Amino acid sequence: MIRVKITPNNKQSQLQYIREISGVNINKCIQCTKCSAGCPASARMDILPHEIIRLLQLGQVEKIFHSKSIWNCASCFVCTERCPRNIDIARLIEAIRLTIIRQPGKSKFKPDDVPGIIDDKMPQQVLVSGFRKYNR
Amino acid sequence: MSLKLEEKAISSKQQFEPLIVAFCCNWCSYAGADLAGTSRLNYPANIKIIKVPCSCRVSPNFVLRAFQRGADGVIIAGCHPGDCHYSTGNYFTRRRFTLFANLLEYVGIEREKFKIEWISAAEGNKFATVMNEMLDSINKLGPSRKLRDGRWIRQQ
Amino acid sequence: MDKTTVRMQQIALQTLANGEVDVILGWKKGDEWYDSYPVVINDINETAELIWDAFCVNNLSKYLITELKKNLRIGVFLKGCDSLAFNQLVIDNRIDSERVVIFGLPCPGMIDPQKVKHAGLNKGLLKVERTGDKIVFITKEGVKEYIGRSFDYDKCLNCRCPNPVVSKYMLSDAVTRTDEEQYFPDVTEIEKMPLEARYDYWTKQFSKCIKCYACRNICPLCSCETCVFDNIAAGVSSKADADCEQQFFHIIRAYHVAGRCVDCGECSRVCPVGIPLEKLNRKIIKDINQLYGDYTADTDIAKSPPLGTYKVDDFDPFDGSKQGGKK
Amino acid sequence: MPRIGAFVCWCGTNIAGTVDIEQVVQAVSEMSGIVYVKDYQYMCSEVGQNLVKTAIKEWQLERVIIASCSPRMHENTFRKAAKAAGLNPYLVEVANIREHCSWVHKNKEEATKKAIALIRAAVAKASLNTELIAKEIDVENRALVIGGGIAGIQTALDIAEAGYQVDVIEKSPSIGGKMAQIDKTFPTLDCSACILTPKMVDVASHPNINLYTYSEIESVNGFVGNFEVTIKQKARSVNLEKCTGCGICTEKCPSRKSKSEFDEGLRTRGAIYTPFPQAVPNVPVIDREHCLKFNTGKCGICEKLCPAGAIEFGQEDVLVTKKYGAVVVATGFDIIDLDKFGEYQYQNHPDVLTSLEFERLTNAAGPTAGKFIRPSNNKRPEKVVFIQCVGSRDVSSRGKSYCSKICCMYTAKQAMLIKDKYPDIEVYVFYIDVRTPGKNFDEFQRRAVEEYGVNYIKGMVGKIFPAGDKLIVHGVDSFTGDTLKIEADMVVLAAAAQAKPDAEVLGRKLAISTDTNNFFTEAHPKLRPVETHSAGIYLAGACQGPKDIPETVAQAGAAAAKVIGLLSKRKLVSNPCVSVVNEDLCNGCLSCLKICPYDAIAAKELATNNHGITSKRIVAKVNEALCQGCGGCTVACRPGAIDLKGFTNKQITAEVDALCH
């Protein structure tokens, strides 16, 4: 990653949007890294959960959007369970994913993708929830 | 309600400035009110506090007197049972006013108009919450002449 | 009834004669059929005029307060509910029970003259006699008989304590009550009414009040030297005929007998304008029985009254676990 | 109507900010009885008080109203000022227009209207105030210290040095508390027992100190200067005088099952035991649950072997009631239990210890006689991991929201001691923030890092996986962002400090309140840290909040100073707002007597004569020394015969009328 001059500008619309739909107050985080330490998927994450929150606090939303971590998060809620400051990190990362998905034209799951991935063992529900979440 | 009646109700609600008399026990809830002050919490100005040494000092006569003189709500705040500075004061408050509150409701007074709350000296925010909630419920009830002495006109 | 009257006159004569008592408190028959008025006699030959019939409703225990002040030994006739009141007066230290000799009178129930008038039987009525379930009306025209207790006072119909709980001499054998008393039906009926209807009902009832204070004067528990409502200096309430003053008096009167009222129903009986005051007292009795255990405000003198004591784990309707609360 | 002077305080901008002072002064001057109104920026200042004094003299004021901050702050200040000007102090009334008005309302117009209403209520009440003279009550010059830890010991010694009798009550068989369990103390690393045991011996031998160990508070009655405390001396089953402390019984006792509380369960002890060798008093106690004699009736070896014949199986609990002038609560703290912190495997792995267990492990008098070995296989560990803030700074329901203040320092000390004795052992400390604010504290912690090479890692441990005889510790270094896996041999958790579980029960007995974390509430966090709201009851040490030994000793000295200040007064000024009976109205029903918490009301016989016949009647009579002025009796009294001076029925009714004006 190239050195970027950090100017904390947390008035960005995406940041407001993330705060709104997640209802999480990121200022409560004291950077104790309990979430990253306990995260089973942290090995495959380029930005660890506590770093995601730090970046949010600094308003560096772009970096998070380009990261792989938010897609590797398995929503197992270990981080939320163990956070000593009662921050719902899993919910926050879900909010970040939704901010990306809900950007216009970015839907990740179009109807014509279906034939490619469907097989007889796949439950119907997977398609329905996939459309609901990833199709805009 | 017919439209005309509704207008009258709304208009009378606008000028309706409820008055709530709060008897606060000196050791716990009065200190809780002080803490609400020092922590700059906010509750409506309609609440007026009278200091009493203990919640067991408040007599049903004072409660009825307050309603007579135009109070829309009366609240007695004391220490949590067991924490009373005089060790058994609020046990008696609890018995007396459980019966008195039932009697008032039996005679037709809404339960929201007369409340007892246990607020300790460390619960500034509970004090503010209780007062705000009480005012909301009194506002919902709207103005009412119950128990009020018609000859006593309260300057708005 | 005559057997008990004779027994009553004998015991009165005997105790007056042997000096066990100086004065007897009983009833005498007035000239009207319903009038058995309370009387204080100390002369032996007056004992023959004592009477026990279906109209001896007056509770004699309250007279003891003034009579005992004359340092006399007093014999008094007490029915079931009167003996409850007697115990309350002892608890309140208003009477010195050593100087009282109690003649117990198990009470079959008293007849309500209003009900007799409603039934139109009072025309030319001379005398009413009751033996067991049979009631005999002796009128100028003839004799009419009725079975059952349809003429009894309401309060006697659901009487909880017909037999005196304390007495030195018992004048007749105990009366058994069969019908198990329903649980405060009159109170639950009012409780079911919607709030505004209740308010209107009671305000209408209270507005009838003329502040004659008969209810307070008859009540064995309202025995204060100077009642707070008579004491202008207390500045508690005034006699003005405004809704708030009436409500103030009646709510506070009911509250002052809370935990002590023996439900003898005298306040409603004597109220000249017929306000159902016993419904206020019984509401409190019902609440106390539910919340703090059944207190029979009569039998056990040592037990402290419900409002005079507490339990650490009393029912706490005010303990909403609001945010910030300790628990 | 008496001549009333009113003084409206600006309190800088605290009041003037949201209350229009001119409008208030104008409205107050029109109230009935007001002859003088003055507003000033700081009424509580010297100048402000002088304003009151001169006004009283010049205008012959008979009542004074101060509209300012809460009476709990400056009521005494203004009462003293009035007294200095010759006015009875109880004719002063304070209207709280700061905490209850200007600070809690934003709208200036509303706040001003409310301030005027509050002052009108104060005027109404003041006009009915009567002159009250405070009576004097005598003070029992003996103090009671609850808790035998360093806080209790230091308080007792300081009070005894001033020449007063002190009783110390300790629940466990010996005094010493947590400090006796510790090996070394920061920041000077001197041995804890070396600096504590001499003080324990001083306590035992001091002529003015009376020690009640293995005893608990049964009940507390009375009030400042006249506390009546009932102490339950639990049956020790050993005679205190006869026992010489030779220790034969504790060695020979066959029942070895019970875990030693003193050693945090790391070793077992006999049914008859002394907690630790330097115990004061050095007299064992029989743990009746595990003693064979009490359970099966067979054994009794200790009785046979005891040379002094001091064993008395028949001993019963003894209740002792004594009077005290002051009480100091020094009951200390506990470590939280870690059952909700499953990720650290504390419950199911012997090598995961709490910091207190670590202290016992490394202590020379500990279960391993100071040898630093792993409890699982008794081998010396190569890698030790310390974890800070276990349960502290945790707002979830698992832990405590506050910082326990002492863990950073004692963890640095423990880490340093390991590296000092065994330089080749690798030591890691996972922390969120190192907080070492005391004198020489930061230098001490930096020595651990710079001289002794303790690896401090900023980050929390996520999970610990037991693998073979190792403990794999998963953590993250938040500076570099790498996840770390350390194969540790031992993990020490710096568990949070919490209040004693029975603190609330003791608080209820003493009528002092505890906060939401069950620590005792001090009267004022900044200005009165060792006092409570109940006069005569003081706090010292960690029972008021987590703190280290230097602070505890400082608080102990402060509490002792307060007690000495109280006991040095032969007489105490009693609260004059007590009940008074109007004998004409009283009909002797004594329902007031039944509910008085202080039994301050008694029956009194009056001879009355109506129409020539004299007879006796009973009336209630208030013992002004015992009455604390709660006012419960005034409501129980139906005719209103008993009233509370300072808060009479008429005064409160006048306040209600004024507020609803």
Side-chain angles (χ1 to χ4, degrees), chain B residues 10-49:
Chain B
I10 293 169
S11 66
S12 70
K13 271 221 171 87
Q14 252 97 27
Q15 312 120 1
F16 175 41
E17 267 298 314
L19 160 68
I20 294 174
V21 174
F23 293 95
C24 291
C25 104
N26 174 37
W27 299 94
C28 280
S29 32
Y30 194 92
D34 283 358
L35 182 60
T38 39
S39 4
R40 304 297 195 283
L41 300 176
N42 202 341
Y43 57 86
N46 321 54
I47 314 271
K48 300 206 166 87
I49 291 171

Short mmCIF file of all heavy atoms in Angstrom, two decimals, chain B residues 10-49:
data_model
loop_
_atom_site.label_atom_id
_atom_site.label_comp_id
_atom_site.label_asym_id
_atom_site.label_seq_id
_atom_site.Cartn_x
_atom_site.Cartn_y
_atom_site.Cartn_z
N ILE B 10 -57.00 19.93 21.38
CA ILE B 10 -55.62 20.28 20.99
C ILE B 10 -55.27 21.66 21.52
O ILE B 10 -54.25 21.88 22.16
CB ILE B 10 -55.45 20.22 19.45
CG1 ILE B 10 -55.60 18.76 18.99
CG2 ILE B 10 -54.09 20.77 19.03
CD1 ILE B 10 -55.74 18.60 17.50
N SER B 11 -56.23 22.61 21.35
CA SER B 11 -55.88 23.98 21.76
C SER B 11 -55.65 24.00 23.27
O SER B 11 -54.69 24.54 23.77
CB SER B 11 -57.04 24.92 21.40
OG SER B 11 -58.17 24.54 22.20
N SER B 12 -56.54 23.26 23.98
CA SER B 12 -56.34 23.33 25.44
C SER B 12 -55.02 22.64 25.81
O SER B 12 -54.34 22.97 26.75
CB SER B 12 -57.50 22.63 26.15
OG SER B 12 -57.37 21.24 25.89
N LYS B 13 -54.64 21.67 24.94
CA LYS B 13 -53.37 20.99 25.26
C LYS B 13 -52.21 21.97 25.12
O LYS B 13 -51.25 21.94 25.88
CB LYS B 13 -53.15 19.79 24.30
CG LYS B 13 -53.77 18.48 24.81
CD LYS B 13 -52.81 17.29 24.53
CE LYS B 13 -53.32 16.03 25.24
NZ LYS B 13 -54.32 15.29 24.38
N GLN B 14 -52.33 22.88 24.10
CA GLN B 14 -51.17 23.77 23.94
C GLN B 14 -50.92 24.52 25.24
O GLN B 14 -49.82 24.52 25.77
CB GLN B 14 -51.45 24.81 22.83
CG GLN B 14 -50.64 24.54 21.58
CD GLN B 14 -51.51 23.77 20.58
OE1 GLN B 14 -52.72 23.93 20.63
NE2 GLN B 14 -50.90 22.95 19.71
N GLN B 15 -52.00 25.18 25.82
CA GLN B 15 -51.66 25.97 27.00
C GLN B 15 -51.45 25.06 28.21
O GLN B 15 -51.13 25.54 29.28
CB GLN B 15 -52.82 26.94 27.34
CG GLN B 15 -53.37 27.73 26.18
CD GLN B 15 -54.85 27.41 26.00
OE1 GLN B 15 -55.41 26.63 26.78
NE2 GLN B 15 -55.48 27.97 24.97
N PHE B 16 -51.66 23.77 28.05
CA PHE B 16 -51.62 22.89 29.23
C PHE B 16 -50.18 22.79 29.73
O PHE B 16 -49.30 22.21 29.11
CB PHE B 16 -52.15 21.49 28.83
CG PHE B 16 -52.02 20.48 29.94
CD1 PHE B 16 -52.31 20.83 31.25
CD2 PHE B 16 -51.59 19.18 29.66
CE1 PHE B 16 -52.19 19.90 32.27
CE2 PHE B 16 -51.47 18.25 30.69
CZ PHE B 16 -51.78 18.63 32.00
N GLU B 17 -49.91 23.47 30.81
CA GLU B 17 -48.56 23.43 31.40
C GLU B 17 -48.64 22.56 32.65
O GLU B 17 -48.94 23.07 33.73
CB GLU B 17 -48.14 24.85 31.80
CG GLU B 17 -47.36 25.59 30.73
CD GLU B 17 -46.05 24.90 30.37
OE1 GLU B 17 -45.34 24.51 31.32
OE2 GLU B 17 -45.82 24.69 29.18
N PRO B 18 -48.42 21.25 32.54
CA PRO B 18 -48.60 20.39 33.73
C PRO B 18 -47.63 20.79 34.84
O PRO B 18 -46.52 21.24 34.56
CB PRO B 18 -48.32 18.99 33.21
CG PRO B 18 -47.54 19.16 31.96
CD PRO B 18 -47.91 20.48 31.39
N LEU B 19 -48.09 20.67 36.06
CA LEU B 19 -47.21 20.94 37.21
C LEU B 19 -47.04 19.62 37.96
O LEU B 19 -48.03 18.93 38.26
CB LEU B 19 -47.86 21.98 38.14
CG LEU B 19 -47.31 22.01 39.57
CD1 LEU B 19 -45.88 22.50 39.58
CD2 LEU B 19 -48.16 22.89 40.47
N ILE B 20 -45.80 19.25 38.21
CA ILE B 20 -45.58 17.99 38.94
C ILE B 20 -44.80 18.32 40.22
O ILE B 20 -43.75 18.96 40.17
CB ILE B 20 -44.78 16.99 38.07
CG1 ILE B 20 -45.65 16.58 36.86
CG2 ILE B 20 -44.38 15.77 38.87
CD1 ILE B 20 -44.94 15.72 35.87
N VAL B 21 -45.37 17.92 41.35
CA VAL B 21 -44.69 18.15 42.64
C VAL B 21 -43.94 16.86 43.00
O VAL B 21 -44.53 15.77 42.95
CB VAL B 21 -45.73 18.49 43.74
CG1 VAL B 21 -45.03 18.58 45.10
CG2 VAL B 21 -46.43 19.79 43.40
N ALA B 22 -42.64 17.01 43.28
CA ALA B 22 -41.82 15.81 43.59
C ALA B 22 -41.32 15.93 45.03
O ALA B 22 -40.63 16.89 45.37
CB ALA B 22 -40.65 15.72 42.62
N PHE B 23 -41.72 14.97 45.87
CA PHE B 23 -41.17 14.93 47.23
C PHE B 23 -39.91 14.06 47.18
O PHE B 23 -40.00 12.86 46.87
CB PHE B 23 -42.19 14.32 48.20
CG PHE B 23 -43.42 15.16 48.40
CD1 PHE B 23 -44.57 14.93 47.65
CD2 PHE B 23 -43.43 16.20 49.32
CE1 PHE B 23 -45.70 15.71 47.81
CE2 PHE B 23 -44.57 16.99 49.49
CZ PHE B 23 -45.70 16.75 48.74
N CYS B 24 -38.75 14.66 47.42
CA CYS B 24 -37.50 13.89 47.28
C CYS B 24 -36.84 13.72 48.65
O CYS B 24 -36.71 14.69 49.41
CB CYS B 24 -36.54 14.62 46.36
SG CYS B 24 -37.14 14.62 44.66
N CYS B 25 -36.43 12.50 48.92
CA CYS B 25 -35.82 12.24 50.25
C CYS B 25 -34.39 12.75 50.24
O CYS B 25 -33.65 12.60 49.27
CB CYS B 25 -35.89 10.76 50.55
SG CYS B 25 -34.35 9.87 50.36
N ASN B 26 -34.02 13.42 51.31
CA ASN B 26 -32.78 14.18 51.37
C ASN B 26 -31.54 13.33 51.11
O ASN B 26 -30.57 13.79 50.53
CB ASN B 26 -32.71 14.78 52.80
CG ASN B 26 -31.41 15.48 53.06
OD1 ASN B 26 -30.88 16.11 52.17
ND2 ASN B 26 -30.88 15.33 54.26
N TRP B 27 -31.56 12.06 51.48
CA TRP B 27 -30.31 11.29 51.45
C TRP B 27 -30.08 10.64 50.09
O TRP B 27 -28.96 10.42 49.67
CB TRP B 27 -30.32 10.22 52.55
CG TRP B 27 -30.43 10.85 53.88
CD1 TRP B 27 -31.57 11.06 54.59
CD2 TRP B 27 -29.37 11.44 54.66
NE1 TRP B 27 -31.28 11.74 55.75
CE2 TRP B 27 -29.95 11.98 55.83
CE3 TRP B 27 -27.99 11.55 54.47
CZ2 TRP B 27 -29.20 12.62 56.80
CZ3 TRP B 27 -27.24 12.20 55.45
CH2 TRP B 27 -27.85 12.72 56.59
N CYS B 28 -31.19 10.26 49.39
CA CYS B 28 -30.97 9.52 48.15
C CYS B 28 -31.47 10.31 46.93
O CYS B 28 -30.70 10.76 46.11
CB CYS B 28 -31.70 8.18 48.21
SG CYS B 28 -30.76 6.99 49.16
N SER B 29 -32.78 10.50 46.83
CA SER B 29 -33.29 11.03 45.55
C SER B 29 -32.95 12.51 45.42
O SER B 29 -32.70 12.99 44.32
CB SER B 29 -34.79 10.80 45.45
OG SER B 29 -35.36 10.85 46.71
N TYR B 30 -32.90 13.25 46.52
CA TYR B 30 -32.52 14.67 46.41
C TYR B 30 -31.07 14.74 45.91
O TYR B 30 -30.73 15.53 45.01
CB TYR B 30 -32.64 15.35 47.78
CG TYR B 30 -32.59 16.88 47.72
CD1 TYR B 30 -33.77 17.63 47.61
CD2 TYR B 30 -31.39 17.56 47.75
CE1 TYR B 30 -33.73 19.03 47.55
CE2 TYR B 30 -31.34 18.94 47.68
CZ TYR B 30 -32.51 19.68 47.58
OH TYR B 30 -32.46 21.05 47.50
N ALA B 31 -30.22 13.83 46.42
CA ALA B 31 -28.81 13.78 45.97
C ALA B 31 -28.79 13.29 44.52
O ALA B 31 -27.97 13.75 43.71
CB ALA B 31 -28.03 12.83 46.87
N GLY B 32 -29.71 12.40 44.16
CA GLY B 32 -29.79 11.93 42.76
C GLY B 32 -30.15 13.11 41.86
O GLY B 32 -29.58 13.28 40.77
N ALA B 33 -31.06 13.95 42.33
CA ALA B 33 -31.44 15.14 41.54
C ALA B 33 -30.23 16.07 41.42
O ALA B 33 -29.95 16.61 40.34
CB ALA B 33 -32.60 15.87 42.23
N ASP B 34 -29.47 16.20 42.52
CA ASP B 34 -28.25 17.02 42.43
C ASP B 34 -27.30 16.44 41.40
O ASP B 34 -26.71 17.16 40.58
CB ASP B 34 -27.56 17.04 43.81
CG ASP B 34 -28.30 17.99 44.77
OD1 ASP B 34 -29.28 18.61 44.31
OD2 ASP B 34 -27.92 18.08 45.93
N LEU B 35 -27.18 15.09 41.41
CA LEU B 35 -26.25 14.45 40.46
C LEU B 35 -26.74 14.70 39.03
O LEU B 35 -25.95 14.99 38.12
CB LEU B 35 -26.17 12.95 40.75
CG LEU B 35 -25.20 12.16 39.87
CD1 LEU B 35 -23.77 12.68 40.03
CD2 LEU B 35 -25.23 10.68 40.20
N ALA B 36 -28.08 14.64 38.85
CA ALA B 36 -28.62 14.92 37.50
C ALA B 36 -28.23 16.35 37.11
O ALA B 36 -27.91 16.64 35.96
CB ALA B 36 -30.15 14.77 37.52
N GLY B 37 -28.20 17.25 38.11
CA GLY B 37 -27.81 18.64 37.84
C GLY B 37 -26.34 18.71 37.48
O GLY B 37 -25.95 19.22 36.43
N THR B 38 -25.50 18.12 38.34
CA THR B 38 -24.05 18.25 38.07
C THR B 38 -23.71 17.57 36.74
O THR B 38 -22.79 18.01 36.05
CB THR B 38 -23.24 17.58 39.20
OG1 THR B 38 -23.92 16.39 39.58
CG2 THR B 38 -23.13 18.49 40.40
N SER B 39 -24.42 16.50 36.36
CA SER B 39 -24.08 15.89 35.07
C SER B 39 -24.83 16.57 33.93
O SER B 39 -24.85 16.03 32.82
CB SER B 39 -24.40 14.38 35.08
OG SER B 39 -24.99 14.00 36.27
N ARG B 40 -25.48 17.72 34.22
CA ARG B 40 -26.15 18.56 33.20
C ARG B 40 -27.15 17.73 32.39
O ARG B 40 -27.26 17.90 31.17
CB ARG B 40 -25.11 19.16 32.24
CG ARG B 40 -24.01 19.98 32.91
CD ARG B 40 -24.49 21.19 33.63
NE ARG B 40 -23.42 22.13 33.96
CZ ARG B 40 -22.53 21.97 34.97
NH1 ARG B 40 -22.60 20.89 35.72
NH2 ARG B 40 -21.59 22.85 35.23
N LEU B 41 -27.84 16.80 33.04
CA LEU B 41 -28.89 16.08 32.31
C LEU B 41 -30.05 17.06 32.13
O LEU B 41 -30.04 18.16 32.67
CB LEU B 41 -29.34 14.86 33.12
CG LEU B 41 -28.24 13.84 33.40
CD1 LEU B 41 -28.76 12.73 34.29
CD2 LEU B 41 -27.74 13.25 32.09
N ASN B 42 -31.07 16.64 31.40
CA ASN B 42 -32.16 17.59 31.13
C ASN B 42 -33.49 16.96 31.47
O ASN B 42 -33.76 15.81 31.07
CB ASN B 42 -32.14 17.95 29.62
CG ASN B 42 -32.85 19.26 29.41
OD1 ASN B 42 -33.61 19.68 30.28
ND2 ASN B 42 -32.58 19.90 28.29
N TYR B 43 -34.27 17.63 32.28
CA TYR B 43 -35.66 17.18 32.45
C TYR B 43 -36.53 18.44 32.55
O TYR B 43 -36.01 19.53 32.78
CB TYR B 43 -35.83 16.26 33.67
CG TYR B 43 -35.40 16.82 35.00
CD1 TYR B 43 -36.27 17.58 35.78
CD2 TYR B 43 -34.11 16.57 35.49
CE1 TYR B 43 -35.87 18.07 37.02
CE2 TYR B 43 -33.71 17.06 36.72
CZ TYR B 43 -34.59 17.81 37.48
OH TYR B 43 -34.19 18.29 38.71
N PRO B 44 -37.84 18.28 32.30
CA PRO B 44 -38.67 19.48 32.12
C PRO B 44 -38.77 20.34 33.38
O PRO B 44 -38.62 19.85 34.50
CB PRO B 44 -40.05 18.90 31.75
CG PRO B 44 -39.99 17.48 32.14
CD PRO B 44 -38.58 17.03 32.13
N ALA B 45 -39.06 21.64 33.16
CA ALA B 45 -39.09 22.58 34.28
C ALA B 45 -40.40 22.45 35.05
O ALA B 45 -40.59 23.09 36.07
CB ALA B 45 -38.97 24.01 33.76
N ASN B 46 -41.32 21.61 34.56
CA ASN B 46 -42.60 21.51 35.29
C ASN B 46 -42.43 20.76 36.60
O ASN B 46 -43.32 20.77 37.45
CB ASN B 46 -43.63 20.74 34.45
CG ASN B 46 -43.53 21.08 32.97
OD1 ASN B 46 -42.45 20.98 32.41
ND2 ASN B 46 -44.62 21.49 32.38
N ILE B 47 -41.25 20.08 36.74
CA ILE B 47 -41.05 19.27 37.97
C ILE B 47 -40.55 20.21 39.06
O ILE B 47 -39.57 20.93 38.85
CB ILE B 47 -39.97 18.20 37.72
CG1 ILE B 47 -40.22 17.50 36.40
CG2 ILE B 47 -39.82 17.30 38.90
CD1 ILE B 47 -41.08 16.33 36.40
N LYS B 48 -41.21 20.23 40.21
CA LYS B 48 -40.74 21.07 41.31
C LYS B 48 -40.50 20.19 42.53
O LYS B 48 -41.35 19.36 42.89
CB LYS B 48 -41.78 22.16 41.59
CG LYS B 48 -41.98 23.04 40.32
CD LYS B 48 -42.46 24.44 40.61
CE LYS B 48 -42.30 25.33 39.39
NZ LYS B 48 -43.47 25.27 38.46
N ILE B 49 -39.32 20.36 43.11
CA ILE B 49 -38.87 19.39 44.13
C ILE B 49 -39.03 19.98 45.54
O ILE B 49 -38.70 21.14 45.78
CB ILE B 49 -37.38 19.02 43.88
CG1 ILE B 49 -37.29 18.19 42.59
CG2 ILE B 49 -36.80 18.26 45.04
CD1 ILE B 49 -35.89 17.95 42.12
#
